[in-house]
């Protein structure tokens, strides 16, 4: 009998231990992970973001004015994007305001640099700006460029003239335009 009592105590201890540790029992609940759709864009700069593109007059009679060269104003294009697996986005640029007749404004976005990660967009080189959207960067997937200056795409601007149009329609005046950038779906 002595052994039966000890055996009974061992079985009870085993059962209590098994019950208290939850051995052999499972329970569950559903956990959902929701990843938001993100499309954020900003221009970052140190100081003033305004750029001035100027022509240079000649000091020799009969010479044309020079409109050329590149203006880099240390304006950086930053973006964050989270999209569907096969979805791509792009950055477009549009001029708001009146560009003088015969004047051509171009923008170039350099390749992305800095702390960004993911499927960063590819630059489309130098593009002509107008009142219609021009694709500046394309092929953007889920990524981020990093924020602030020295992250993302450095922008530079170029001014050219169509001599035939310019000399027929130009006048001595200041023309001020805005360049508007938009991050939008590409497909």
């Amino acid at each position: 009998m002595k052994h039966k009592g000890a055996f009974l105590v061992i079985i009870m201890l085993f059962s209590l231990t098994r019950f208290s540790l939850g051995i052999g029992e499972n329970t569950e609940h559903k956990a959902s992970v929701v990843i938001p759709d993100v499309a954020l864009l900003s221009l970052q700069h140190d100081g003033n973001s305004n750029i001035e593109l100027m022509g240079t007059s000649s000091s020799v009679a009969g010479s044309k004015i020079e409109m050329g060269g590149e203006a880099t104003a240390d304006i950086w294009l930053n973006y964050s994007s989270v999209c569907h697996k096969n979805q791509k986005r792009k950055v477009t640029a549009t001029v708001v305001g009146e560009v003088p007749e015969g004047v051509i404004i171009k923008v170039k976005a350099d390749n992305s640099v800095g702390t960004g990660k993911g499927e960063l967009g590819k630059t489309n080189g130098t593009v002509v700006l107008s009142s219609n959207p021009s694709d500046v960067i394309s092929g953007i997937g889920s990524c981020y460029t990093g924020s602030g200056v020295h992250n993302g795409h450095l922008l530079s601007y170029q001014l050219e003239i169509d001599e035939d149009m310019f000399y027929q329609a130009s006048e001595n005046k200041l023309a001020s335009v805005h360049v508007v950038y938009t991050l939008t779906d590409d497909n």
Side-chain angles (χ1 to χ4, degrees), residues 26-74:
N26 290 323
T27 187
E28 64 183 59
H29 67 88
K30 184 178 179 179
S32 297
V33 177
V34 178
I35 300 172
D37 186 39
V38 176
L40 300 171
L41 178 71
S42 70
L43 294 173
Q44 300 293 318
H45 51 84
D46 280 335
N48 190 349
S49 67
N50 297 332
I51 59 168
E52 194 169 275
L53 301 165
M54 293 178 31
T56 308
S57 62
S58 174
S59 59
V60 177
S63 297
K64 65 181 182 177
I65 68 166
E66 294 294 324
M67 300 283 239
E70 207 168 272
T72 303
D74 289 330

Side-chain angles (χ1 to χ4, degrees), residues 19-182:
F19 178 74
S20 66
L21 293 176
I23 296 174
E25 292 184 30
N26 290 323
T27 187
E28 64 183 59
H29 67 88
K30 184 178 179 179
S32 297
V33 177
V34 178
I35 300 172
D37 186 39
V38 176
L40 300 171
L41 178 71
S42 70
L43 294 173
Q44 300 293 318
H45 51 84
D46 280 335
N48 190 349
S49 67
N50 297 332
I51 59 168
E52 194 169 275
L53 301 165
M54 293 178 31
T56 308
S57 62
S58 174
S59 59
V60 177
S63 297
K64 65 181 182 177
I65 68 166
E66 294 294 324
M67 300 283 239
E70 207 168 272
T72 303
D74 289 330
I75 299 173
W76 293 83
L77 186 72
N78 296 167
Y79 51 84
S80 298
S81 173
V82 176
C83 51
H84 300 289
K85 185 174 184 173
N86 294 319
Q87 181 184 8
K88 298 290 184 229
R89 292 197 165 117
K90 64 183 176 180
V91 174
T92 63
T94 307
V95 171
V96 176
E98 190 176 327
V99 177
E101 288 286 327
V103 174
I104 302 164
I105 302 173
K106 297 180 177 182
V107 67
K108 177 185 171 205
D110 287 347
N111 291 326
S112 182
V113 298
T115 60
K117 300 281 187 243
E119 194 175 355
L120 295 164
K122 306 291 184 233
T123 180
N124 290 332
T126 302
V127 297
V128 175
L129 297 177
S130 71
S131 59
N132 297 319
S134 300
D135 294 351
V136 177
I137 300 167
S138 57
I140 299 169
S142 291
C143 64
Y144 65 95
T145 59
S147 61
V149 297
H150 306 291
N151 285 297
H153 302 268
L154 179 62
L155 301 174
S156 55
Y157 294 87
Q158 193 173 24
L159 187 64
E160 292 180 4
I161 61 169
D162 174 340
E163 289 186 8
D164 293 333
M165 292 289 290
F166 181 76
Y167 287 109
Q168 288 177 13
S170 69
E171 54 185 289
N172 182 9
K173 68 176 185 177
L174 174 67
S176 182
V177 297
H178 294 269
V179 181
V180 178
Y181 291 90
T182 305

